[in-house]
Amino acid sequence: MSGVFDAELHPLITSRAGLLEYVSDPSWRQRLSDGEFALPQASPHPGAELEGGAVDPSAADPAAVAAALGSDVEAALLVPAQAMATAGWLSHTMAAVFCSAVNDLLIAEWLPAEPRFRLAIAVAPHDGFAAAEEIERVGRQPAVAAVCMPLIAVNMGQRHYHPIYAAAERLGLPVVVHPGGFEGAVIGPAALGGIGPRTPEESFTLLPQVATANVASLIYDGAFQQFPGLRVVFAGFGFSWAPPVLWRADSEWRGLRVEVPWLTKPPSEYVGDHIRFLVDAACELRPEAWRVAAMLPETSLIYGSDLPFGDGDAERALAGAPAGLRERIAAGNARETFAAAVGAAEAGR
Amino acid sequence: MTATATAERHCVGSVEEFEENRFRVFEIAGRPIGVVRRGEEFFAVRNRCPHQGAEICGGRVSGTMLASSPGEYRYSDAEPVLACPWHRWEFRLADGGSVGDVTGKRLVTYEVEVEDREVYVKLRAGRAR
């Protein structure tokens, strides 16, 4: 397959000592060294600690990951999944410290290993101002193409996130959101409907609820009016649920426009302009899903391998995609989505 | 032949018989037509929502919210609207157009004249029911 933009490749960090070298504040380095701080598990999904085989350790070796990239891959966006676990952490400062260290490690050790690597810098969503400072601190590096964060129990349209959106918009970086594995826990991360202990399978099944709630919040709270350059990528939430949600949103808007007069066009058009859904190994990839794909705006879907949790075979993953959409999903939509990064422009890429 | 010259004029009562913002519905030349008063202004529309056919004249007559910044409301009375009681789609009383362009469909409107305190609805000649 020619021209694949892999918008979701998870770099793995397995050495605690190696990471702590990148904790710049000596006091925090000391605290994290003294305590029982452990690196988050590789997979940011509920119940992953009980799932089968361990992740291939080569996923922590940038040279090995680079060597394994298919020749058809023109770019691979590193999305540090372990930083998504911070959504469930007690200390918001520690979450921010951890994300900064992850960013510095990836910039120092991964980006030089492969010119096709791009980076989604991690931020902790609890403190919008701290996250914005982090975006300013590392977001202008040439290979930085996005910001990534997990979701907490504040919907994405709320002012809480405005500092993050303002910084991301200023630097031309889309905001990639990805599950952190704590969705549905009672306090802290993004909520799932109903309260009660769940099996991992139930939580995973319900993950689209988180994306649905946040798509609706971004639209109705007017985030795209306030940040016209904002683009949001939902990674790891699937897409097959989206068309009926947009149908309903458009239908409700016709009658309830007076409640949200800042919307001057149907909600689905804002989604087409600003929101992307990742097609990855966690998706509902069955023949029927591709019929659903054709019901979304043609700009909506971008491919991600979900390596090391998938096989990275884009050709196989997209085999059933409608002919007219395949190139867009494989690379075209991602090229357009990630092209505006200020760092990239300054580097002349 | 001009439209005015061929328009049929139908008297629907005196100005005082109309309550503010409340439609009265008449059958005029076989068509259900509602007439409403806003101050000294009168409007007439077909009593049929172009969406799903509801008797729209039972809906709310008011001003509406203009396009605004997120979280802010800017209410304006300048262009009164009629909101369908079924799904709240709003149409401008003056021209029947959709408020906010939520649909391309239009509410059928009629010209109203007031003469000597009597209210007249004018039907355009040859217009399809």
Side-chain angles (χ1 to χ4, degrees), chain A residues 150-318:
Chain A
L151 292 171
I152 54 174
V154 179
N155 281 341
M156 287 187 78
Q158 298 293 300
R159 294 166 65 94
H160 173 90
Y161 298 102
H162 283 191
I164 297 176
Y165 298 160
E169 186 184 49
R170 197 160 49 243
L171 272 63
L173 303 174
V175 177
V176 178
V177 293
H178 189 288
F182 292 93
E183 289 73 15
V186 174
I187 293 175
L192 293 176
I195 298 291
R198 303 177 202 268
T199 60
E201 288 72 16
E202 183 182 348
S203 300
F204 216 161
T205 301
L206 298 179
L207 264 182
Q209 288 186 356
V210 173
T212 304
N214 282 283
V215 166
S217 171
L218 284 163
I219 294 168
Y220 293 117
D221 289 325
F224 300 122
Q225 275 78 8
Q226 278 161 309
F227 303 97
L230 176 65
R231 282 153 298 143
V232 175
V233 180
F234 284 87
F237 295 92
F239 65 86
S240 64
W241 47 270
V245 170
L246 302 189
W247 300 339
R248 187 173 176 93
D250 284 356
S251 174
E252 295 300 330
W253 168 72
R254 292 190 182 97
L256 301 175
R257 186 207 63 86
V258 288
E259 309 292 345
V260 285
W262 43 90
L263 300 190
T264 53
K265 56 186 180 180
S268 61
E269 291 190 23
Y270 291 101
V271 171
D273 290 346
H274 295 276
I275 293 181
R276 306 288 176 264
F277 305 105
L278 210 98
V279 178
D280 68 7
C283 263
E284 323 81 348
L285 286 186
R286 39 192 296 158
E288 299 89 335
W290 292 117
R291 295 212 292 272
V292 175
M295 299 171 188
L296 285 166
E298 63 180 10
T299 50
S300 293
L301 299 180
I302 60 180
Y303 167 75
S305 68
D306 202 24
L307 282 167
F309 309 109
D311 63 7
D313 186 346
E315 176 129 24
R316 192 185 51 76
L318 302 181

Side-chain angles (χ1 to χ4, degrees), chain A residues 80-103:
Chain A
Q82 286 160 295
M84 301 300 106
T86 56
W89 288 9
L90 195 59
S91 166
H92 299 175
T93 309
M94 185 169 118
V97 166
F98 176 74
C99 286
S100 295
V102 167
N103 291 335

